[in-house]
Amino acid sequence: MLKYIIRRLLIMIPMLLLVSIVVFTLAQLMPGDPFGGEIDPTKLKPEQIEEKREQLGYNDPILVQYGRWLSNFVQGDFGKSISYKTDVSVLIKQRLDNTIFLTILALIITYAISFIMGLYSGKKPYTIGDYAINGFNYLALAIPSYVLAIAFIYIFAFNLQWFPSSGSVGMGVEEGTWEYWMSRLNHTLLPAIVLGAFSAASYTQFLRNDIIDNSRKDYVRTARAKGTSESNIYNKHILRNSLIPIVTLFGFDLAFMINGAVITETIFTYPGIGKLFLDSVGKQDYPLIMTLTMMFAVIVIIGNMLADILYSLVDPRVKVE
Amino acid sequence: MKTETSSQIDINMKNKTSHSPWAIARRKFMKNKVAMISFVILMIIITLALLAPIIATSDITKINVLEASQPPSADHWLGTDKGGRDVFTLVLHGGRTSLMVGFMCTVFIMLIGTTLGLLAGFYGGWLDTFIMRIVDFVLILPFYVFVIALNGILVKNSVVGGVWLLIIVISALSWGGATRMVRSKVLAEKENEYIMAAKSIGNSSFKIMFKHLLPNVISIVIVQATLLFAGMIVAEAGLTFLGFGVPQSEPSWGNMLSSARQSDILQNKVWMWIPPAVLISVTILCINFIGEGLKDAFNPKSSK
């Protein structure tokens, strides 16, 4: 097992290198200096800019620049943002907190909803409740997240005024207090539901079909024959088997959430890294774009690896090569 | 006597199995009510979008301040937008762009995916390893992030502009899944005797791939393409909604939706964003149902 995990970790390295090359090439293709956060063309004369360029190493061969960027990146030095005039790492730290909070909330909602609905549908297939849940699933899978977000803001934020439509925390709330956390939760709930709806629907279907499949298997018949109560059969025997595929999907969720966060955070003007990324592209803030792109790719790679490892951990039938 | 019965059985068999797999699939699909209704609705939407220049002739290239932001009326069935353009006309022309981008992306992705999947699955060896490593790589790039970054760079310094650039960028980042799927199907299919027979009578590899393997994997390609079509429409409108897709001058569902990012329009002028929101959701719903219907129709195990 340990061997497998180590091998899986080692495969990550060439992938990460390849991604870094792509990101660096992209930055080179962009007009202007990709690392120009420290040069202010409005204040400096052309000669001074040239001097500064030389000093910062922009005139070095490409490979040297790549090596320098990579080694800085690995050491956590991401350069300076052009538009915000601060270190990229500081900017990201400010926002990362919000995105993590949003993602965790979205994951909790996803798993809670799919768990309850999937279990119900799987226990009582082809009943009215099952059909209603199925109908809900089809809708959730068909409505794009941005349409759902707009509709939610219109209904829940503007008309019913249950939730605020933007931001991550109310004005003038003191950090660390009970009100502060409630305000944060209140701000994050709506985007989290939007972010989780699609996965919730697909997991519900997944769980439902798996429970129905399992309930026809021999071990369930054996359990019934021995007189195990119906609720014990579902909650203990079947659920344990049906949860396996769902658990392993957790790794892929990370990747999915990143794509989703870019859209959802922007619509709700929620100050997380997804919105930061879009803003940085709009402002052509290359150091920020490069770091965030790289970061997102790293998270996806780690997520995929996690999915593989979880899969082999949870299901002993999966052969470890 | 014996020969007679066997020939009779032959005739009976022929009568029973005279339907081609395609005819069986078509009949199953036609019997599937949900899929058929979805198909009809989708066809209506596509026809309206294609005929947009004939049906909706209101001028949407000019801004007319006098008629700006009007609610629905007899003149303007769905009202007008901020620039005084007729929303009904916009939504039909927008559908044209959105469906076209989705369709072209699907065509490109399925062409690349099917070809590479066939090559990788059929030849195996180093070619397979090589192609699949690239697939692994393409699949780990977060889609929206890279499309936005790439489109942002290329839009500044490229020859092809606007919509076509978007189609190329989206396709270039989305062919991984299709390739992987076709390959796995080819791997299973090529173990069959008919492939060995085709090989042993000296068919060229090219002919085996495209005349013998392709027709047997085409059903999954069609199902996959249908679902991909839905995904690509969502992706296009999403990117455009964020301001990184179809240029603003071009009417598209994503562009119309993005007007709802202004809270005044979102709250008080719902006729500007509800039509594209409803149309895009209905389109995706229909395509998903059709995709499921097709999957069922092509599945020899399903009895319906």
Side-chain angles (χ1 to χ4, degrees):
Chain A
M1 193 68 236
L2 193 68
K3 231 175 163 182
Y4 175 72
I5 293 175
I6 291 171
R7 234 191 44 169
R8 213 50 201 75
L9 281 169
L10 287 179
I11 294 175
M12 268 176 67
I13 296 171
M15 282 284 180
L16 286 172
L17 275 176
L18 218 55
V19 173
S20 77
I21 292 172
V22 170
V23 171
F24 185 80
T25 316
L26 283 182
Q28 290 295 325
L29 289 173
M30 297 186 199
D33 277 322
F35 313 101
E38 296 171 36
I39 297 177
D40 188 353
T42 51
K43 281 186 196 147
L44 296 169
K45 287 181 194 147
E47 309 90 64
Q48 281 172 311
I49 290 180
E50 196 45 49
E51 204 176 289
K52 192 100 190 191
R53 280 177 64 92
E54 187 66 46
Q55 194 189 332
L56 290 168
Y58 293 163
N59 298 337
D60 292 347
I62 287 277
L63 273 178
V64 177
Q65 289 194 40
Y66 169 70
R68 188 166 44 227
W69 172 70
L70 193 65
S71 78
N72 282 345
F73 191 93
V74 172
Q75 290 166 32
D77 174 11
F78 306 140
K80 230 172 170 184
S81 152
I82 297 172
S83 52
Y84 296 91
K85 309 275 177 218
T86 39
D87 277 350
V88 170
S89 50
V90 175
L91 276 172
I92 292 178
K93 251 180 226 148
Q94 286 170 357
R95 314 288 189 97
L96 194 59
D97 193 32
N98 283 330
T99 300
I100 292 175
F101 189 61
L102 173 66
T103 312
I104 291 176
L105 207 60
L107 283 176
I108 293 175
I109 291 172
T110 305
Y111 282 101
I113 293 180
S114 56
F115 198 79
I116 295 168
M117 297 204 314
L119 208 58
Y120 180 88
S121 272
K123 262 187 194 173
K124 299 177 179 158
Y126 313 111
T127 57
I128 295 177
D130 177 40
Y131 287 129
I133 289 172
N134 255 332
F136 165 82
N137 282 341
Y138 279 119
L139 277 183
L141 291 175
I143 299 177
S145 61
Y146 39 90
V147 173
L148 194 64
I150 295 174
F152 272 17
I153 293 178
Y154 179 70
I155 297 168
F156 296 112
F158 285 166
N159 286 341
L160 297 174
Q161 304 209 321
W162 289 354
F163 300 100
S165 65
S166 64
S168 69
V169 71
M171 296 284 253
V173 200
E174 205 176 315
E175 203 166 321
T177 57
W178 171 251
E179 280 86 37
Y180 171 79
W181 284 104
M182 285 322 283
S183 166
R184 267 191 89 169
L185 188 64
N186 198 22
H187 278 80
T188 315
L189 214 50
L190 215 48
I193 295 173
V194 170
L195 196 53
F198 188 88
S199 316
S202 48
Y203 289 2
T204 305
Q205 274 186 334
F206 214 90
L207 198 58
R208 170 188 182 270
N209 296 339
D210 209 68
I211 288 176
I212 294 175
D213 277 353
N214 267 320
S215 65
R216 294 191 188 121
K217 283 194 177 151
D218 288 343
Y219 74 90
V220 173
R221 202 186 314 155
T222 311
R224 274 214 183 101
K226 282 173 145 183
T228 317
S229 74
E230 204 63 5
S231 66
N232 254 343
I233 289 179
Y234 275 102
N235 295 340
K236 281 200 176 152
H237 295 251
I238 293 181
L239 196 60
R240 272 195 201 161
N241 284 304
S242 293
L243 278 185
I244 292 174
I246 300 266
V247 169
T248 61
L249 287 173
F250 173 74
F252 297 119
D253 271 339
L254 286 178
F256 181 79
M257 291 289 166
I258 287 189
N259 272 325
V262 173
I263 292 180
T264 317
E265 286 180 3
T266 306
I267 300 174
F268 286 94
T269 44
Y270 184 86
I273 47 172
K275 183 166 188 307
L276 185 66
F277 172 74
L278 266 196
D279 291 346
S280 71
V281 176
K283 288 172 180 160
Q284 307 207 346
D285 194 335
Y286 303 125
L288 205 49
I289 299 176
M290 284 172 79
T291 313
L292 285 172
T293 315
M294 196 65 205
M295 221 175 88
F296 290 143
V298 170
I299 296 174
V300 174
I301 293 177
I302 291 176
N304 286 356
M305 189 195 66
L306 218 63
D308 280 358
I309 293 177
L310 276 176
Y311 198 58
S312 58
L313 270 182
V314 169
D315 193 341
R317 285 169 300 181
V318 175
K319 266 182 266 163
V320 177
E321 288 164 53
Chain B
M1 187 66 196
K2 213 177 179 187
T3 46
E4 228 183 286
T5 37
S6 79
S7 69
Q8 258 177 352
I9 290 170
D10 257 342
I11 290 165
N12 282 340
M13 292 268 281
K14 257 182 200 155
N15 277 338
K16 266 189 185 160
T17 56
S18 64
H19 301 293
S20 73
W22 291 100
I24 296 171
R26 196 176 58 227
R27 220 182 40 203
K28 269 197 212 166
F29 187 81
M30 303 269 266
K31 272 191 189 163
N32 186 336
K33 268 185 215 145
V34 179
M36 274 315 280
I37 293 170
S38 303
F39 183 73
V40 172
I41 296 175
L42 185 68
M43 279 304 136
I44 293 172
I45 294 175
I46 291 177
T47 316
L48 281 175
L50 285 180
L51 295 179
I54 303 166
I55 306 168
T57 47
S58 164
D59 192 0
I60 50 166
T61 53
K62 284 195 199 100
I63 286 177
N64 186 350
V65 189
L66 287 175
E67 298 202 331
S69 306
Q70 282 181 1
S73 63
D75 276 350
H76 302 286
W77 293 349
L78 296 173
T80 59
D81 77 346
K82 263 191 144 175
R85 300 179 297 177
D86 182 50
V87 172
F88 179 71
T89 313
L90 274 177
V91 92
L92 290 193
H93 283 262
R96 236 168 112 87
T97 316
S98 296
L99 292 171
M100 197 272 281
V101 172
F103 183 74
M104 287 319 294
C105 288
T106 310
V107 169
F108 282 143
I109 292 167
M110 287 326 288
L111 275 180
I112 301 171
T114 312
T115 315
L116 289 183
L118 271 175
L119 288 174
F122 183 74
Y123 284 110
W126 67 269
L127 186 69
D128 183 30
T129 317
F130 179 69
I131 292 176
M132 293 327 282
R133 282 299 88 78
I134 303 178
V135 167
D136 286 344
F137 181 68
V138 172
L139 283 176
I140 54 161
L141 302 176
F143 175 76
Y144 278 109
V145 173
F146 272 82
V147 171
I148 288 169
L150 207 58
N151 208 28
I153 296 160
L154 293 177
V155 109
K156 295 275 178 330
N157 42 13
S158 80
V159 219
V160 275
V163 177
W164 284 102
L165 179 70
L166 183 70
I167 293 173
I168 293 169
V169 170
I170 292 180
S171 309
L173 284 163
S174 317
W175 54 273
T179 308
R180 197 176 257 186
M181 193 209 57
V182 173
R183 170 186 174 267
S184 65
K185 180 78 181 163
V186 168
L187 280 182
E189 198 65 36
K190 79 167 179 182
E191 298 302 321
N192 286 330
E193 279 95 357
Y194 70 88
I195 297 295
M196 205 200 288
K199 260 186 207 163
S200 61
I201 58 169
N203 276 315
S204 69
S205 299
F206 184 83
K207 201 173 172 191
I208 295 174
M209 269 191 284
F210 288 94
K211 269 203 114 169
H212 298 286
L213 271 174
L214 188 59
N216 284 296
V217 297
I218 201 79
S219 64
I220 8 186
V221 170
I222 292 172
V223 172
Q224 185 72 11
T226 314
L227 299 174
L228 198 63
F229 183 41
M232 289 300 115
I233 293 174
V234 172
E236 180 275 324
L239 288 165
T240 310
F241 176 82
L242 295 173
F244 295 95
V246 175
Q248 213 137 43
S249 52
E250 203 114 3
S252 89
W253 288 341
N255 268 334
M256 296 179 73
L257 277 173
S258 70
S259 71
R261 286 173 70 182
Q262 300 161 13
S263 51
D264 172 50
I265 291 182
L266 178 55
Q267 195 167 7
N268 304 320
K269 295 168 182 140
V270 291
W271 63 86
M272 289 187 202
W273 60 267
I274 284 186
V278 169
L279 263 178
I280 196 168
S281 304
V282 170
T283 308
I284 305 303
L285 194 62
C286 288
I287 298 176
N288 284 350
F289 279 134
I290 294 172
E292 262 188 36
L294 285 174
K295 208 192 275 175
D296 222 40
F298 284 129
N299 183 1
K301 281 183 201 150
S302 77
S303 52
K304 266 185 233 168

